[in-house]
Amino acid sequence: MDFSILLQIVVVGIAAGGVYGLIALGFVLIYKATSILNLAMGEFMTLGAFVCFTALTSLHLPFYIAFIITLAFAVLLGVIIEPLILRPMIGEPVISVVMVTIGLGVILKGLTYMIWGPVYRAFPPIFPPKPLLLGPIVVPSGLLWGFLFAIATMAVFIMIFKFSRTGVAMRAAAFDQQAALSMGVSVRKVFALSWSFGAIAAVISGVVIGNMSGLNIYMGDIGLAVLSVIILGGLDSIGGAILGGFIVGILQNLTGFYIDPLVGGGAKDIAPYVILLLIIMIRPYGLFGKVTIERV
Amino acid sequence: MRSGDFKENYISDEAIFPSLFARFWVAALLVFLLVFPFIANNHLLYIANMIGFAVIGAVGLNLLTGFTGQISLGHAAFIGVGAYTSAILVTRYGFSFWLSIPLAGMASALAGALIGIPSLRVKGLYLCIATLASQFIFGFIFVHWESMTKGITGIHIPPPAIGALHFDNERKFYWITLFFVLLGVGYARNLIRSKMGRAFMAVRDRDLAAEIMGINLFRYKLSAFAISSFYAGVTGALLVNFLKVVVPEQFSFMVCIEYLAMVIVGGLGSVIGSVFGAVFMTLVPEVLSVLSDIVKEAAPEMASLIVPFKQVVFGFLIVSFLIFEPRGLVEIWNRIKKFFLLWPFSY
């Protein structure tokens, strides 16, 4: 066994894991504040990637302006969708809330399809195409920049939560809604804001993934695979999402290399779900999730 | 004068057809269903068959999700297990269609009980994610276990037969579908007023309280998964024998969403609601297809928008029902019933 091949797989896995961590962060931000698992996350990603794509190609804007437009779009998406669709669902059973996000995903996917069509598109090159060489290990440029973007976004989010007034309000509302309300935190605003934050994480990962592997309306399907990351890390743990992203990224790449040839392909795509089932059986609250114990 | 529909003893409360009204409408519906194949054309009969399969699957899912409160995002996987079991038994091992249906149901029930095992440990959101993962794993198996399922090329199935009578068109297959629909709906209707049905509802309302009252959670949760999957297996087996082909795309995640949509639009925890939901959610795309044909005539350049437009309408239906009528079509039906029952003083 060649050690450098193994190292190569692990490094690529870490780079891919950074993007997974970012999508997972989107899930966690929304779940932590509102206890809603947003299964439309993948469609947020796709939509964001297409918005950025249109700003770049049809409007011929430079990347940083297109990127800012995409972020503004994400904020708008969160602020519109949360009060319109999710707020009426407060207090409804889990199945209804899950279904409403699935329905939302179906609508968004249909709209994306209507606007941009089903064809595959290549993203215009925005990053220098030179791959990074770490000794014998090659990190493709798309993965490298995606990783850097993901890490930077995560860092910004963590800073916001640690130091800004809004971030502290969001943490307070996630910790105890009643107490936060009585201290003057507007829980409504926090809910809408967390959806916007989740959408921001989603669209950034959408742009990154679109840049790596092109755009089509099905690119959002990766959003469901990322469920394994948040289950591994714990549904309500930001650190868990980031660490879980790396672990799943590495495991997936290892499966792709070692098991794919045995079963004739496809194992790489299914690996996250197998990991997910195993974790749910063994440790459903994940590595860092809040443990709730219920006994008769 | 009547001021409402009141029950004075338990026997009337437990009756399958609680009122004269219900008995009348059930009889009328039966007559309609028996006459239908003689008056309808092939396309209508095709839709009727599809509705029938949807009814069986939706009633099964409602037993699990609506009555027992266990969320399943993996219903399509169970439908697929039944479909493949029937197809493989019929084509490879020479079983008759009639024997393959219950066997397909049992295979699905086994798969369902297996997938139901996490439900003993986790619930709500986590169970939902676990069943979702199973859905994708089963989808992977359907595609990649090529020696059995023939992968994406699929299996072709000969039409079922009794002696010289071949059920090879929509009209003849209608009778098979009708038989299984009546059996399935009747069984579900009876199940929910039995001990088991009440246990299911107790588990849904508060599982810990149910356990304290002597309901074995292990047994009833797994039974709910098994029964629901049995229904799904029968649906799948009927579906692929009707279409004469089985391919993995018939059991995608979208199918799970469609069945959940039927159950929710129809009304969670109501057998008749699932029937409404299945009919409604199967008819909506058909109506849209008719509309789209008109649009195609008028504006051919809009033709490419029709497929995604159907999706948007479908998603919109789910979301708007959940927000505006969370109890589903059955609640609308009840309101109409009450209006006529209490007329002219319906308040």
Side-chain angles (χ1 to χ4, degrees):
Chain A
M1 175 60 220
D2 194 348
F3 186 69
S4 70
I5 293 181
L6 183 67
L7 213 60
Q8 166 83 37
I9 296 167
V10 171
V11 168
V12 171
I14 290 176
V19 183
Y20 283 172
L22 185 56
I23 307 174
L25 188 66
F27 276 106
V28 171
L29 288 176
I30 292 177
Y31 184 82
K32 219 172 145 67
T34 62
S35 307
I36 291 169
L37 187 72
N38 175 23
L39 290 182
M41 207 52 140
E43 278 68 33
F44 281 22
M45 274 171 55
T46 320
L47 210 52
F50 271 106
V51 167
C52 187
F53 171 80
T54 308
L56 279 171
T57 55
S58 305
L59 307 177
H60 303 289
L61 296 170
F63 176 67
Y64 66 95
I65 297 183
F67 191 69
I68 291 170
I69 290 177
T70 315
L71 293 186
F73 173 76
V75 172
L76 208 65
L77 201 66
V79 173
I80 291 174
I81 283 175
E82 198 278 329
L84 206 64
I85 295 182
L86 280 309
R87 201 161 295 163
M89 301 308 293
I90 290 175
E92 294 282 334
V94 180
I95 173 78
S96 306
V97 182
V98 167
M99 260 325 264
V100 98
T101 64
I102 292 180
L104 177 67
V106 173
I107 296 177
L108 291 180
K109 202 175 198 168
L111 286 177
T112 318
Y113 191 148
M114 280 174 96
I115 299 171
W116 285 283
V119 285
Y120 173 88
R121 288 152 203 265
F123 216 75
I126 41 177
F127 303 126
K130 208 167 126 347
L132 179 71
L133 299 172
L134 298 170
I137 301 157
V138 185
V139 187
S141 138
L143 265 182
L144 171 71
W145 283 96
F147 178 74
L148 294 179
F149 253 77
I151 294 295
T153 315
M154 289 176 197
V156 170
F157 272 129
I158 290 174
M159 299 287 260
I160 290 177
F161 281 118
K162 269 238 140 63
F163 301 116
S164 86
R165 207 179 149 83
T166 328
V168 175
M170 286 174 81
R171 275 194 295 157
F175 188 73
D176 187 337
Q177 275 177 24
Q178 304 279 321
L181 266 173
S182 64
M183 300 307 274
V185 172
S186 164
V187 173
R188 282 162 181 251
K189 231 184 254 169
V190 165
F191 274 25
L193 209 59
S194 356
W195 272 78
S196 291
F197 277 24
I200 287 177
V203 297
I204 294 179
S205 48
V207 170
V208 162
I209 291 176
N211 179 54
M212 269 191 277
S213 48
L215 296 173
N216 75 16
I217 51 166
Y218 301 109
M219 63 184 280
D221 292 354
I222 197 177
L224 293 179
V226 169
L227 286 176
S228 61
V229 173
I230 53 171
I231 291 292
L232 174 62
L235 265 180
D236 48 7
S237 159
I238 292 179
I242 297 169
L243 186 67
F246 292 134
I247 297 175
V248 171
I250 294 170
L251 281 178
Q252 194 185 19
N253 266 283
L254 288 175
T255 336
F257 188 76
Y258 290 106
I259 304 192
D260 256 6
L262 301 180
V263 295
K268 195 176 172 185
D269 301 323
I270 207 71
Y273 297 108
V274 178
I275 299 170
L276 202 170
L277 260 191
L278 289 177
I279 303 160
I280 282 195
M281 296 275 204
I282 300 164
R283 198 181 158 92
Y285 37 85
L287 294 175
F288 308 108
K290 196 162 63 182
V291 185
T292 47
I293 296 174
E294 219 178 28
R295 286 210 180 89
V296 179
Chain B
M1 185 182 278
R2 282 183 76 164
S3 58
D5 185 18
F6 298 116
K7 308 285 193 306
E8 288 169 355
N9 52 39
Y10 280 114
I11 293 168
S12 70
D13 193 38
E14 285 187 346
I16 305 184
F17 307 117
S19 63
L20 197 66
F21 186 84
R23 257 172 251 145
F24 170 76
W25 282 109
V26 168
L29 181 68
L30 268 182
V31 170
F32 172 73
L33 288 177
L34 290 175
V35 175
F36 184 73
F38 299 108
I39 51 173
N41 63 19
N42 277 346
H43 182 62
L44 281 182
L45 279 166
Y46 172 82
I47 298 172
N49 275 300
M50 293 316 253
I51 289 178
F53 308 143
V55 166
I56 302 173
V59 167
L61 183 60
N62 208 347
L63 284 178
L64 180 65
T65 301
F67 286 100
T68 322
Q70 307 298 305
I71 304 168
S72 168
L73 282 178
H75 207 57
F78 306 138
I79 295 177
V81 169
Y84 274 106
T85 310
S86 170
I88 290 166
L89 286 178
V90 168
T91 56
R92 188 174 296 215
Y93 299 105
F95 278 61
S96 83
F97 163 77
W98 309 101
L99 193 59
S100 83
I101 295 280
L103 288 177
M106 275 180 226
S108 284
L110 201 68
L114 193 72
I115 298 309
I117 290 176
S119 75
L120 305 171
R121 194 159 151 76
V122 296
K123 55 188 177 188
L125 215 46
Y126 287 91
L127 180 62
C128 165
I129 298 172
T131 51
L132 181 112
S134 324
Q135 162 69 28
F136 283 100
I137 293 170
F138 271 102
F140 177 79
I141 294 172
F142 294 152
V143 175
H144 287 271
W145 194 10
E146 289 187 6
S147 57
M148 267 297 179
T149 64
K150 297 201 182 155
I152 46 173
T153 44
I155 307 174
H156 290 270
I157 311 161
I162 311 178
L165 176 61
H166 290 270
F167 292 87
D168 52 358
N169 65 17
E170 290 89 353
R171 201 174 302 270
K172 290 176 189 158
F173 208 96
Y174 177 85
W175 298 109
I176 302 180
T177 311
L178 183 61
F179 171 74
F180 280 105
V181 167
L182 293 180
L183 198 68
V185 174
Y187 181 79
R189 200 62 197 153
N190 272 299
L191 181 76
I192 55 165
R193 53 188 205 121
S194 69
K195 179 187 173 191
M196 189 174 246
R198 285 194 297 272
F200 283 172
M201 286 182 255
V203 172
R204 171 193 65 191
D205 292 341
R206 192 89 178 93
D207 53 351
L208 296 185
E211 173 96 63
I212 289 167
M213 287 190 286
I215 289 166
N216 186 341
L217 283 187
F218 178 77
R219 195 179 139 207
Y220 283 103
K221 277 185 176 173
L222 285 194
S223 312
F225 266 99
I227 293 173
S228 155
S229 308
F230 190 93
Y231 272 82
V234 172
T235 306
L238 288 173
L239 176 76
V240 296
N241 277 287
F242 174 67
L243 297 174
K244 302 190 188 75
V245 65
V246 48
V247 285
E249 292 99 84
Q250 287 165 325
F251 317 110
S252 64
F253 181 53
M254 199 60 204
V255 177
C256 300
I257 301 176
E258 279 167 18
Y259 274 97
L260 273 173
M262 288 176 201
V263 169
I264 285 172
V265 166
L268 281 166
S270 157
V271 172
I272 191 78
S274 310
V275 178
F276 287 151
V279 174
F280 185 73
M281 291 314 268
T282 320
L283 282 183
V284 166
E286 293 298 331
V287 172
L288 286 178
S289 295
V290 174
L291 285 181
S292 69
D293 285 344
I294 300 169
V295 171
K296 241 180 244 171
E297 298 268 308
E301 70 276 5
M302 303 276 279
S304 64
L305 292 182
I306 285 160
V307 176
F309 182 69
K310 273 187 195 170
Q311 254 192 343
V312 173
V313 171
F314 175 71
F316 194 73
L317 274 176
I318 299 178
V319 172
S320 43
F321 258 95
L322 281 167
I323 293 176
F324 299 113
E325 193 63 78
R327 289 190 187 171
L329 288 169
V330 75
E331 186 64 18
I332 299 177
W333 169 247
N334 284 340
R335 272 207 299 272
I336 295 172
K337 251 183 7 190
K338 222 168 245 163
F339 176 79
F340 283 108
L341 199 65
L342 304 179
W343 193 84
F345 301 111
S346 53
Y347 38 78

